[in-house]
Amino acid sequence: MDTKVNTLRQFFRQPNRGYLIREIARLAGVNHVTARKHIREYLKEGMIVKKAAAPYPVFSANTSSKKYLNLKLCHNLELIRESGLVERLEREYDYPVIVLFGSFAKAIDDEASDVDICIISNVDKAMDLSSYERVLGRKISIHKFTRKTWETAKRKNPGLVNGIANGIVLSGQLEVV
Amino acid sequence: MRFQEGIEERQAKRVPPDVIKAKSLIVSSEQAIATAARIPNEPTTRKSIVRELYEGLRQYCEAIGLIHGYKFATHEIITAFLEDVLKEPRSAARFDRYRKLRNGINYYGDDVSPETVNEALTEIPTIIKHLSNHTKSKPS
C-alpha cells in the first residue's frame, strides 16, 4: 500500500510533469515492475494519463479527475500536518485563526504555486518559514491580518476575503459575518 | 469533541442545579477579572494577567454549567458545553483559544505578546457579558 501511495505522491508534487516508468520507480523507491503495476491501476481509475512520447510514453496527473483531486487534497493537508507549521504558527501568534486557501487548499497547486495561509492575529511579528517551505516543497505566503484589518478587508477587499472564506480553517474559527 | 461524548467519557457529569454555588463562582469570576485589570501590564506580568482573566472566564462557565445541572472535570469539555448546550459557537471558539493560551503558559512556559494581553483584557469581559444571558436561563 505504501509503495502505491509513494508512486502517486510524485504526481502530486509535480502534476504537470510527464514521468517515465523507471523515473517514477526510482523516485518512489520501488522496482519498475511494481511501479508499472501501480501506474496501470491509476490509469484504470483515471487518476493519471498516458502521453505518447519518444522513445517511451510518459505519465502525468489527470488534474480533472475528482478522485485525484480528493487524494491530492489529503496529501496536501497531511504534508502540512507533518511539517508542524500549524502548531508553530499557533504558538508564535498566540493561537490565531489560521486558514489555508488558494490553489493548495483546492489541490490544484503545482511546483510554481504558493501555499497561501491567512492568519488573523493582533500579534505583530515576522517568522522564518524556510524550513517549512522545504518540507512542503512550495513557497509559503502568509496573509496576515489583525482583527481590525480583517474587518476592513471584509468591506474593502471582498474578493480576497471570499477566497479566504472558501479555504480550509486549520485553527480557530473564522468569523465572516 | 462533542458534549455528549464528553459526558460518556466522564469529562462532565449531570448534577442537581446549584444556584448558590453558581453565585459564589460568579463572584469569584468577577474578582478575578477585576484583579487582572488592576495588574500593571508589564513584560513580567503578562502571563499572570492572562491566567487570571482565563480563570475568571472559566469560573463563569462553571457557574453556568451548575445552573444548567452540569459539573465539568476538564477545561476542554467547557468548549463543547458552550457550543453544543448553550449554542454559542463564537464564545466557544474564543474560550478554546484562551484555554490553549493558558495551557501554553502553564505547561510549556510560552510567552504572551502585549497585543494578546490587551485583547484579552477587553475580550474576556465581553464574552462574560454575552454569556450572562445564560445565568438567567432555567436548567434544562
Side-chain angles (χ1 to χ4, degrees), chain A residues 84-100:
Chain A
L85 174 65
V86 174
E87 288 76 7
R88 173 85 193 280
L89 292 173
E90 281 183 334
R91 291 178 85 163
E92 292 289 335
Y93 291 99
D94 290 349
Y95 299 89
V97 175
I98 305 173
V99 186
L100 176 71

Side-chain angles (χ1 to χ4, degrees), chain A residues 41-123:
Chain A
E41 286 166 7
Y42 287 134
L43 271 172
K44 209 171 155 187
E45 291 176 274
M47 290 163 66
I48 56 174
V49 287
K50 186 177 179 178
K51 289 172 190 165
Y56 301 110
V58 292
F59 300 88
S60 59
N62 178 7
T63 51
S64 55
S65 155
K66 266 277 177 201
K67 187 170 181 180
Y68 167 83
L69 290 174
N70 286 345
L71 290 177
K72 180 161 162 58
L73 181 57
C74 290
H75 167 81
N76 286 357
L77 292 174
E78 186 55 11
L79 265 183
I80 287 184
R81 189 196 63 77
E82 279 172 3
S83 74
L85 174 65
V86 174
E87 288 76 7
R88 173 85 193 280
L89 292 173
E90 281 183 334
R91 291 178 85 163
E92 292 289 335
Y93 291 99
D94 290 349
Y95 299 89
V97 175
I98 305 173
V99 186
L100 176 71
F101 69 103
S103 60
F104 201 77
K106 290 178 187 154
I108 52 171
D109 59 296
D110 58 28
E111 59 275 26
S113 306
D114 285 358
V115 177
D116 291 300
I117 291 179
C118 159
I119 296 177
I120 304 173
S121 167
N122 290 341
V123 177

Side-chain angles (χ1 to χ4, degrees), chain A residues 90-97 120-125 147 154 171-177, chain B residues 83 89-91 93-94 97-98 100-101 103-104 108-113 115-117 119 123:
Chain A
E90 281 183 334
R91 291 178 85 163
E92 292 289 335
Y93 291 99
D94 290 349
Y95 299 89
V97 175
I120 304 173
S121 167
N122 290 341
V123 177
D124 186 23
K125 64 162 84 163
R147 288 219 181 157
K154 283 185 196 173
S171 182
Q173 184 176 275
L174 182 69
E175 291 176 5
V176 282
V177 285
Chain B
E83 189 157 4
R90 280 189 184 195
S91 299
R94 286 172 183 176
R97 179 180 173 230
Y98 288 112
K100 288 175 183 168
L101 263 172
N103 283 356
Y108 305 102
D110 286 352
D111 280 329
V112 186
S113 70
E115 295 92 342
T116 302
V117 177
E119 199 181 327
E123 191 173 55

Side-chain angles (χ1 to χ4, degrees), chain B residues 1-13 77:
Chain B
M1 176 195 290
R2 310 305 302 183
F3 189 68
Q4 195 49 43
E5 250 177 80
I7 293 266
E8 284 156 20
E9 289 172 12
R10 299 184 183 192
Q11 293 194 36
K13 64 176 179 185
I77 196 65

Side-chain angles (χ1 to χ4, degrees), chain A residues 120 145 147-162 174-177, chain B residues 90:
Chain A
I120 304 173
F145 298 88
R147 288 219 181 157
K148 202 172 168 189
T149 57
W150 174 246
E151 291 306 316
T152 312
K154 283 185 196 173
R155 291 193 310 274
K156 294 195 173 166
N157 201 344
L160 175 64
V161 170
N162 281 340
L174 182 69
E175 291 176 5
V176 282
V177 285
Chain B
R90 280 189 184 195

